[in-house]
Amino acid sequence: MSKVTVIGAGNVGATCANVLAHKDIVKEVVLLDIVGNLAKGKALDSWQQAPIDYYSTHLVGTDDYAATADSDIVVITAGVPRKPGMSRDDLISTNAKIVNSVTESIMKHSSNPIIIVVSNPLDVMTYASWKSSGLDSSRVMGMAGILDTARYRAFLAEALNVSPKDIQAVLMGGHGDTMVPLPRYTTVSGIPLTELLDSETIEKIVNRTRVGGGELVQLMGTSAWYAPGAAAAQMVETILKDEHRIFPCCVRLSGEYGLDNIFLGVPVKLGKNGIEQIIELSLNEQEMKLLKESAEHVAAVRDVFDNMSL
Ligand code: APR
């Protein structure tokens, strides 16, 4: 049984730790926050849920990195969330410092963890964590694609009046309004989506997906946590169980899709070693154009990060 640390005991981190505990696949979940009592309180509350919901995963809350020693996987959710009117990119100056210092602290206590980044702007924060960790790029990834496809799948399920369980989809690109949902690679129990929905409805859903995070920020005054927390927990589960499931994740590309030295969402196979394979889909001209535009946007934010003196 394994040890997983979640950094940041706010909305997303606490949800991720709680969902993970419910899966009952981890010996211990350490929840760490700069606000120590917040992490302690949420971990204790989650642990007190164990006798009710029947899991054995022990939860520990702390503000001390020593408690994270020898973690197999670390999920980074530390940082500030968006407020209405902000883009994810607006968070860079605050979150870059946080993600850098968190990664350095993690690496002092765990020699070869797998890191899953959730903090925004996601693609660039994943790059930042990879750089300061010194880990192989197969061990540092960002959670965005599972969330973005979940939003897309939920909207489609509603439009089709079918169970969201039956919708399979892939989506690529950065975690922002330039993301590239792929209707051509979307099926409903194996039936191509394009057989079931007209192109105008699909287009509306694609556009709603692109700004799906912003819709929630408008509704709640802060960004979402149930689906993001559960999505990060699903990545942890797949890795720990060595399931070899295929999900869109933010990973470092070295030539795939003609892109180099950039962290971007693409379909990958996840297993016990982290990213076991990057899957290269054949994209048509329009899909490739959208992916390149998304990559250019992420590269511009990455350059802002590279020019920051941290
Ligand atoms: N070390 C540890 N924890 C930190 C640090 C740090 N250096 N800096 C901030 N935190 C903690 C805060 O104390 C807070 O409890 O991170 C937590 C963030 O929680 P929320 O404010 O509730 O934000 P949340 O909605 O969880 O989003 C966190 O994930 O989805 C992204 O855009 C979102 O970047 C944001 C991140």
Side-chain angles (χ1 to χ4, degrees):
M1 289 283 266
S2 336
K3 176 169 174 175
V4 175
T5 289
V6 180
I7 310 284
N11 286 334
V12 178
T15 304
C16 176
N18 190 261
V19 171
L20 204 50
H22 278 81
K23 292 181 186 284
D24 213 8
I25 53 169
V26 179
K27 186 161 188 272
E28 184 175 72
V29 173
V30 176
L31 190 57
L32 183 145
D33 201 285
I34 203 162
V35 184
N37 281 342
L38 181 73
K40 281 183 192 140
K42 291 199 180 178
L44 183 60
D45 189 13
S46 263
W47 173 236
Q48 290 169 355
Q49 197 179 359
I52 303 165
D53 282 353
Y54 266 70
Y55 51 82
S56 309
T57 300
H58 189 231
L59 294 113
V60 175
T62 186
D63 56 4
D64 180 359
Y65 278 88
T68 73
D70 301 323
S71 293
D72 299 289
I73 302 182
V74 180
V75 180
I76 302 180
T77 76
V80 291
R82 280 198 279 173
K83 292 200 168 55
M86 290 173 91
S87 84
R88 293 180 182 91
D89 299 341
D90 295 333
L91 305 173
I92 191 163
S93 56
T94 314
N95 286 356
K97 289 189 197 86
I98 294 174
V99 169
N100 262 14
S101 78
V102 161
T103 306
E104 280 165 18
S105 304
I106 290 164
M107 295 308 298
K108 283 186 191 141
H109 298 273
S110 298
S111 58
N112 196 27
I114 287 175
I115 297 181
I116 300 171
V117 180
V118 184
S119 311
N120 276 310
L122 189 274
D123 306 276
V124 178
M125 291 305 93
T126 310
Y127 167 70
S129 183
W130 169 69
K131 263 184 106 175
S132 55
S133 71
L135 287 166
D136 188 88
S137 60
S138 61
R139 302 184 77 78
V140 183
M141 63 198 83
M143 187 298 293
I146 296 182
L147 171 64
D148 294 327
T149 44
R151 286 178 174 152
Y152 175 55
R153 290 158 68 199
F155 296 149
L156 287 172
E158 226 160 30
L160 291 162
N161 192 23
V162 300
S163 166
K165 290 181 194 171
D166 287 336
I167 299 177
Q168 297 291 325
V170 65
L171 173 156
M172 297 174 61
H175 183 48
D177 302 352
T178 62
M179 70 179 75
V180 189
L182 294 170
R184 218 163 54 85
Y185 285 108
T186 306
T187 69
V188 184
S189 277
I191 305 163
L193 176 66
T194 43
E195 301 269 316
L196 299 175
L197 269 187
D198 60 89
S199 55
E200 200 184 317
T201 310
I202 294 175
E203 185 63 22
K204 269 193 198 143
I205 290 174
V206 162
N207 288 335
R208 188 177 174 194
T209 303
R210 288 204 179 101
V211 293
E215 179 180 352
L216 289 158
V217 175
Q218 283 300 330
L219 289 168
M220 304 191 293
T222 188
S223 51
W225 58 89
Y226 291 122
Q234 186 168 54
M235 288 172 73
V236 172
E237 178 177 23
T238 301
I239 293 166
L240 290 181
K241 290 185 176 169
D242 194 23
E243 286 184 310
H244 284 196
R245 293 194 67 183
I246 292 173
F247 290 121
C249 298
C250 171
V251 302
R252 183 167 192 262
L253 299 179
S254 317
E256 297 87 353
Y257 296 97
L259 299 164
D260 207 18
N261 190 29
I262 187 161
F263 276 78
L264 203 68
V266 292
V268 300
K269 191 193 283 175
L270 286 186
K272 67 177 183 328
N273 300 311
I275 298 140
E276 308 229 341
Q277 190 191 340
I278 293 177
I279 292 158
E280 282 199 79
L281 298 176
S282 66
L283 299 181
N284 64 29
E285 210 176 300
Q286 174 65 4
E287 291 160 345
M288 191 56 96
K289 179 173 166 277
L290 292 173
L291 183 66
K292 293 255 146 94
E293 281 169 10
S294 189
E296 277 164 23
H297 179 83
V298 171
V301 183
R302 180 201 57 201
D303 292 346
V304 170
F305 168 79
D306 276 337
N307 291 325
M308 283 168 76
S309 44
L310 292 170

